[in-house]
């Protein structure tokens, strides 16, 4: 992000919500996605704290930059982006329907603060910390970054003596939790549509996705044909719910399709996941000595955790961290856990799918000179959907015909396109070997498991390029598909 401008400005002691709309009282930064972002005085009180500045040291995509070198953007710039889009969204509604909906400056400020602070509770390497590391050290815990964000908001207000109405903070926290399983009852009796702008629990369309989809595609060098400004310009509130023009249904579908594509090609990339598993193992080996997990219990300690924990482990001389250091060194030298193979769970088996474990693979080994151990195996159960599990997300979205109409309606699949998928969820099982010499034995055991479970063999990894080639041709986006060149050790020279 660029440096703050207008640094000679000071916060007015008579600052009110109304002044947040006056650019004379704002500072601005230049964002490489949205252009100039104007930061109002109240938001700056939160931004200029060590707890929020910590987000500069949390990469938005965890370890994905080790595969996509450009993916080094942080939670800091994403949070500013969501803050800006949240303000843009509610201000557009205020411009077009303000009198009808009763939108006040207070509402605008509350939604913007929710956008700014929605990710302040993320841990090192973002979702890796929450989904892979903590469940192994805090057994049975229901910890979530949304809940920690709420605790961090309270901590920042108390520690820095931010003068803000308690009702405002209450609504901000409700908006942060709105799309999570820990959603709180809405304190407001009306204007519930405001809760759907930052984290939409109703149908998944929110400005958080608008920002990270465009930002992540840009950073990873991927094309993005989802145009969120179109939805911001034409959305409308009907019956206390944000609805979209029927003619924009394909734009809405592209939102979910692009997100699913990012999950498949970036977030769950086979090599990204291999590095993630190594980072998790390093954190697990360092946890007892550094007491990492205990930080999540106290916001005053939690803010000290960020991605630099790897460098802390890597450069520490302590003998107790030697195993964790060795794993990080393997990552640096690209001696990664080896991908063995993968298979997509058959569609008719998805309903009763049970996650595959390392024990399942080890127990499928037939007689061999090498005996597999569970600690040598990593199994990744990757679920990719369009935000609504096995359901079509468009079923929970309401549309309107034109601005003269007061009727809202959903659009069934058959009215959209016969080219849309008949299934809205994929389940992919991958197996990795922590030791290169066990790849062959593990691959055979994985194939035995596949045959025993579904009566078919696992897909040979080399076939993925042929499948991708065919899909590219069918989609009309084929240019060149590069098949990796394998070295003598069988490792790909393309990373």
């Amino acid at each position: 992000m660029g440096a703050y401008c207008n640094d000679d400005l000071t916060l007015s002691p008579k600052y009110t919500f109304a002044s947040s709309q006056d650019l004379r009282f704002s500072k601005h930064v230049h964002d490489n996605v949205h252009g100039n972002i104007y930061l109002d005085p109240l938001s700056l009180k939160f931004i200029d704290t060590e707890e929020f500045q910590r987000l500069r040291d949390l990469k938005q995509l965890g370890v994905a930059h080790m595969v996509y070198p450009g993916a080094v953007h942080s939670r800091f710039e994403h949070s500013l982006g969501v803050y800006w889009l949240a303000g843009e969204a509610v201000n557009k509604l205020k411009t077009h329907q303000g009198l009808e909906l009763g939108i006040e400056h207070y509402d605008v400020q509350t939604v913007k603060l929710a956008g700014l602070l929605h990710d302040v509770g993320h841990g090192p390497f973002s979702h890796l910390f929450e989904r892979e590391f903590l469940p192994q050290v805090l057994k049975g815990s229901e910890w979530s970054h949304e809940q920690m964000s709420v605790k961090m908001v309270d901590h920042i207000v108390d520690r820095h003596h931010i003068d803000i109405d308690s009702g405002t903070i209450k609504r901000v926290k409700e908006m942060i939790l709105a799309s999570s399983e820990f959603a709180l009852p809405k304190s407001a009796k009306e204007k519930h549509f405001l809760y759907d702008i930052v984290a939409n629990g109703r149908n998944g369309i929110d400005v958080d996705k608008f920002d990270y989809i465009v930002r992540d595609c840009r950073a990873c060098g991927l094309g993005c044909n989802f145009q969120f400004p179109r939805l911001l310009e034409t959305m409308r509130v009907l019956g206390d719910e944000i609805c979209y023009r029927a003619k924009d249904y394909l734009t809405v579908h592209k939102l979910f399709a692009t997100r699913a594509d990012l999950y498949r090609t970036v977030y769950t990339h086979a090599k990204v996941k291999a590095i993630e598993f190594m980072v998790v193992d390093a954190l697990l080996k360092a946890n007892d000595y550094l007491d990492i997990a205990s930080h999540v219990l106290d916001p005053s300690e939690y803010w000290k955790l960020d991605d630099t924990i790897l460098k802390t482990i890597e450069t520490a001389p302590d003998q107790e961290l030697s195993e964790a250091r060795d794993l990080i060194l393997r990552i640096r030298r690209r001696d990664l856990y080896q991908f063995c193979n993968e298979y997509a769970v058959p569609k008719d088996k998805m309903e009763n799918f049970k996650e595959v474990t390392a024990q399942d693979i080890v127990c499928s080994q037939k007689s061999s000179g090498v005996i597999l151990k569970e600690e040598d195996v990593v199994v990744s159960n990757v679920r990719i959907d369009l935000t609504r599990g096995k359901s079509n997300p468009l079923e929970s979205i309401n549309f309107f015909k034109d601005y003269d109409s007061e009727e809202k309606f959903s659009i069934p699949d058959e009215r959209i396109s016969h080219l849309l998928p008949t299934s809205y969820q994929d389940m992919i099982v991958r197996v990795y070997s922590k030791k290169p010499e066990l790849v062959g034995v593990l691959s055979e055991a994985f194939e035995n498991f596949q045959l025993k479970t579904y009566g078919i063999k696992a897909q040979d990894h080399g076939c993925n390029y042929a499948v991708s080639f065919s899909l590219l041709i069918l989609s009309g986006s084929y240019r060149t598909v590069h098949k990796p060149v394998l070295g003598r050790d069988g490792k790909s020279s393309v990373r």
Side-chain angles (χ1 to χ4, degrees):
M1 296 296 298
Y4 290 146
C5 300
N6 302 335
D7 284 336
D8 57 322
L9 294 180
T10 55
L11 301 184
S12 167
K14 296 182 179 180
Y15 169 77
T16 63
F17 287 117
S19 66
S20 70
Q21 304 305 309
D22 191 336
L23 298 186
R24 295 175 301 170
F25 293 90
S26 299
K27 296 183 179 181
H28 75 268
V29 296
H30 184 78
D31 178 66
N32 64 3
V33 173
H34 306 301
N36 283 339
I37 290 178
Y38 293 86
L39 307 170
D40 64 72
L42 181 58
S43 297
L44 277 169
K45 290 182 179 181
F46 286 91
I47 293 170
D48 293 338
T49 64
E50 58 270 32
E51 291 85 1
F52 189 87
Q53 292 291 318
R54 157 186 173 270
L55 298 182
R56 292 181 185 271
D57 292 318
L58 294 181
K59 288 187 176 63
Q60 176 78 7
L61 299 185
V63 300
H65 67 286
M66 295 185 182
V67 176
Y68 292 90
V72 292
H73 53 303
S74 68
R75 290 275 161 188
F76 182 86
E77 55 201 280
H78 166 64
S79 296
L80 295 190
V82 177
Y83 157 87
W84 180 247
L85 289 182
E88 289 286 281
V90 71
N91 273 318
K92 287 185 183 299
L93 290 175
K94 184 173 182 290
T95 298
H96 298 302
Q97 294 180 271
L99 293 177
E100 172 191 349
L101 300 175
I103 298 175
E104 304 169 352
H105 290 305
Y106 166 80
D107 299 315
V108 176
Q109 186 69 66
T110 304
V111 173
K112 288 168 65 179
L113 280 177
L116 181 73
L117 301 169
H118 77 289
D119 269 354
V120 77
H122 262 296
F125 309 103
S126 296
H127 294 290
L128 175 155
F129 186 78
E130 175 180 359
R131 297 173 184 172
E132 307 288 351
F133 170 69
L134 284 182
Q136 298 190 57
V137 293
L138 298 178
K139 302 291 186 182
S141 171
E142 294 187 337
W143 190 95
S144 74
H145 78 271
E146 292 96 346
Q147 287 180 308
M148 180 52 76
S149 291
V150 163
K151 292 180 181 178
M152 289 294 288
V153 169
D154 285 333
H155 172 71
I156 292 172
V157 170
D158 293 341
R159 177 174 172 77
H160 299 278
H161 310 291
I162 296 177
D163 185 14
I164 186 170
D165 178 73
S166 60
T168 302
I169 286 298
K170 189 173 190 298
R171 287 185 71 190
V172 166
K173 293 189 292 186
E174 290 168 359
M175 289 177 181
I176 289 173
L177 292 171
S179 67
S180 76
E181 58 184 302
F182 307 102
L184 299 171
K186 298 178 177 64
S187 57
K189 296 181 180 179
E190 55 185 15
K191 295 186 274 192
H192 286 181
F193 64 89
L194 294 174
Y195 290 79
D196 296 339
I197 292 175
V198 173
N200 192 336
R202 288 201 228 199
N203 56 43
I205 303 180
D206 50 49
V207 296
D208 178 31
K209 290 185 183 66
F210 290 1
D211 184 85
Y212 79 65
I213 286 175
V214 176
R215 195 176 297 278
D216 294 354
C217 283
R218 182 189 181 105
C220 296
L222 305 177
C224 179
N225 61 2
F226 164 62
Q227 299 295 323
F228 69 81
R230 185 179 180 94
L231 297 182
L232 286 180
E233 288 291 342
T234 61
M235 64 185 181
R236 178 185 177 197
V237 175
L238 290 172
D240 206 16
E241 176 185 6
I242 297 176
C243 303
Y244 302 89
R245 285 192 310 180
K247 65 190 298 183
D248 291 331
Y249 66 86
L250 283 180
T251 302
V252 172
H253 185 268
K254 284 179 182 177
L255 161 68
F256 298 114
T258 305
R259 175 184 175 274
D261 192 44
L262 278 167
Y263 266 87
R264 188 181 300 279
T265 58
V266 178
Y267 309 155
T268 65
H269 184 287
K271 193 153 287 189
V272 170
K273 294 300 294 184
I275 298 170
E276 281 189 2
F277 292 132
M278 296 183 77
V279 170
V280 170
D281 282 351
L283 293 178
L284 290 173
K285 291 180 183 300
N287 182 60
D288 288 343
Y289 186 66
L290 297 180
D291 206 14
I292 300 169
S294 68
H295 287 66
V296 305
L297 305 175
D298 183 1
S300 64
E301 291 297 317
Y302 182 73
W303 76 270
K304 300 172 186 177
L305 280 179
D306 56 43
D307 292 359
T308 61
I309 190 169
L310 274 199
K311 184 60 70 175
T312 298
I313 296 170
E314 188 176 20
T315 57
D318 311 68
Q319 181 60 33
E320 292 85 351
L321 296 174
S322 60
E323 288 185 278
R325 274 199 306 272
D326 289 343
L327 271 173
I328 298 171
L329 185 61
R330 283 185 62 181
I331 295 173
R332 302 295 189 202
R333 294 178 176 177
R334 211 66 179 188
D335 178 19
L336 307 179
Y337 291 169
Q338 293 294 295
F339 173 82
C340 296
N341 216 326
E342 68 178 28
Y343 71 83
V345 178
K347 189 168 69 171
D348 60 337
K349 306 293 184 182
M350 292 279 287
E351 189 71 32
N352 300 310
F353 175 75
K354 180 183 177 183
E355 290 203 344
V356 181
T357 66
Q359 184 182 38
D360 292 327
I361 307 303
V362 170
C363 290
S364 299
Q365 181 188 13
K366 294 183 178 178
S367 57
S368 173
V370 180
I371 303 299
L372 290 176
K373 299 178 181 177
E374 288 184 38
E375 56 265 31
D376 296 328
V377 183
V378 179
V379 179
S380 175
N381 295 275
V382 178
R383 190 181 302 274
I384 301 172
D385 59 30
L386 299 182
T387 75
R388 308 294 290 186
K390 60 183 179 181
S391 302
N392 178 2
L394 268 71
E395 293 175 353
S396 57
I397 299 166
N398 278 319
F399 296 85
F400 60 91
K401 183 177 180 181
D402 53 48
Y403 295 109
D404 294 326
S405 173
E406 295 297 321
E407 178 188 0
K408 60 182 180 179
F409 53 87
S410 60
I411 301 179
D413 286 3
E414 60 270 17
R415 285 185 56 192
I416 297 176
S417 170
H418 295 301
L419 296 177
L420 292 182
T422 57
S423 177
Y424 297 93
Q425 187 178 68
D426 278 345
M427 192 74 211
I428 302 169
V429 179
R430 295 185 184 134
V431 170
Y432 297 81
S433 172
K434 295 185 180 182
K435 299 176 180 178
E437 64 270 20
L438 296 179
V439 170
V441 178
L442 249 175
S443 297
E444 183 182 3
F446 185 37
E447 185 173 293
N448 292 336
F449 174 78
Q450 231 333 42
L451 286 168
K452 180 176 63 177
T453 308
Y454 300 123
I456 55 176
K457 292 184 178 181
Q459 174 181 297
D460 178 59
H461 186 50
C463 293
N464 288 346
Y465 298 99
V467 172
S468 300
F469 182 84
S470 300
L471 290 175
L472 286 168
I473 291 177
L474 288 172
S475 65
S477 58
Y478 166 70
R479 284 191 288 272
T480 303
V481 176
H482 294 287
K483 188 170 182 178
V485 178
L486 300 182
R488 292 182 179 177
D489 58 356
K491 295 181 182 178
S492 170
S493 62
V494 177
R495 293 178 177 174

